[in-house]
Amino acid sequence: MSTTEQRVAIVTGAARGIGAATAVRLAEEGRAVAVLDLDEAACKETVEKITAAGGKALAVGCDVSDEAQVEAAVARVVEELGAPTILVNNAGVLRDNLLFKMSASDWDTVMNVHLRGAFLMSKAVQKHMVDAKFGRIVNLSSSSALGNRGQVNYAAAKAGLQGFTKTLAKELGKFGVTANAVAPGFIVTEMTKATADRVGMGFEEFQAAAATQIPVQRVGRPEDIANAIAFFTGEAAGFVSGQVMYVAGGPLN
């Protein structure tokens, strides 16, 4: 990146976990980072970590499934940080259950945050990328996209994001915009803790059991995913688009 140009990144769901680690990592890459989450106050810790290290960050409260809030959030980023040319669609929720127990509300909530949210954010930001003739969109998929018991909504949403990513790559490539997806395996976050709770296991036991099934014999950390995202958002990744990178400690089949 040019030393005279600071690109602006938006990371959704950045108050904690993978999103927070990604915001910090992109700030280390020299990006000005808009830290988006449902609760703006919850973004404070991430913003303070970035600014304490000499970076530039802005906390923004936004429900990514709400079109008006998305448009307002992006407008605020443009005004306070500059036009965003990097977008990481990380915001997500779990509403796990077996199919026969899952409510329509559980299905809709997961679809709205993951898929509608990624659509609204990408639509709102892409015009700034096209104008700049540079853009990087990274969508967070999951190993659950391959199917996972008790997660029919989440698995469908994450698989949908892969198709969304490949289509964005085809539509936006001629404008200098790439779109890629990162699909984490087992990562230690509040969401995986919720899964452990759902199946009735202690979190440490759950992690230990998962590690035995992973070729590198450890579970992942948010920083592992942030590193992959940093690659996709970099200047040097301009010939990489429409790809899905599984970051899972080894092959999944």
Side-chain angles (χ1 to χ4, degrees):
M1 187 174 84
S2 167
T3 56
T4 61
E5 180 182 17
Q6 183 177 48
R7 298 205 184 277
V8 175
I10 295 177
V11 183
T12 70
R16 60 188 63 81
I18 290 171
T22 298
V24 170
R25 182 71 169 82
L26 295 186
E28 291 172 352
E29 294 287 309
R31 318 305 191 185
V33 184
V35 179
L36 265 67
D37 211 282
L38 189 60
D39 178 9
E40 185 170 320
C43 301
K44 181 180 179 182
E45 184 177 344
T46 305
V47 169
E48 288 181 346
K49 188 170 184 179
I50 291 170
T51 55
K56 188 174 184 180
L58 172 70
V60 181
C62 179
D63 177 351
V64 296
S65 69
D66 184 296
E67 187 170 12
Q69 289 192 38
V70 166
E71 291 176 353
V74 172
R76 183 179 167 201
V77 172
V78 171
E79 180 180 354
E80 298 190 36
L81 290 181
T85 54
I86 296 170
L87 171 64
V88 180
N89 285 310
N90 168 74
V93 294
L94 290 178
R95 295 292 185 273
D96 293 352
N97 224 326
L98 296 174
L99 177 62
F100 77 99
K101 293 180 178 180
M102 185 173 291
S103 68
S105 176
D106 288 340
W107 175 272
D108 290 344
T109 296
V110 169
M111 291 297 164
N112 284 341
V113 175
H114 292 268
L115 282 175
R116 179 179 167 87
F119 160 70
L120 291 175
M121 288 299 306
S122 299
K123 184 179 180 183
V125 170
Q126 61 87 29
K127 57 181 173 286
H128 299 291
M129 298 179 175
V130 170
D131 288 345
K133 297 181 174 58
F134 175 95
R136 300 285 187 264
I137 298 173
V138 181
N139 299 310
L140 269 292
S141 181
S142 169
S143 59
S144 292
L146 303 175
N148 198 32
R149 178 180 169 84
Q151 290 192 314
V152 67
N153 49 1
Y154 187 76
K158 291 304 192 183
L161 280 169
Q162 295 189 16
F164 177 70
T165 298
K166 291 177 182 293
T167 302
L168 289 185
K170 292 183 176 182
E171 289 189 9
L172 299 176
K174 65 182 179 180
F175 302 109
V177 180
T178 67
N180 292 285
V182 174
F186 191 107
I187 308 297
V188 177
T189 65
E190 291 180 15
M191 290 181 76
T192 47
K193 183 179 185 304
T195 302
D197 293 341
R198 175 173 62 85
V199 299
M201 290 181 69
F203 196 29
E204 293 300 322
E205 179 188 4
F206 192 58
Q207 292 179 57
T212 66
Q213 304 301 310
I214 299 171
V216 299
Q217 294 290 287
R218 72 168 177 90
V219 294
R221 301 286 171 181
E223 293 73 19
D224 292 312
I225 307 306
N227 290 336
I229 294 170
F231 164 71
F232 278 137
T233 58
E235 308 288 319
F239 201 57
V240 182
S241 195
Q243 302 306 303
V244 179
M245 180 192 291
Y246 282 85
V247 184
L252 297 170
N253 52 28

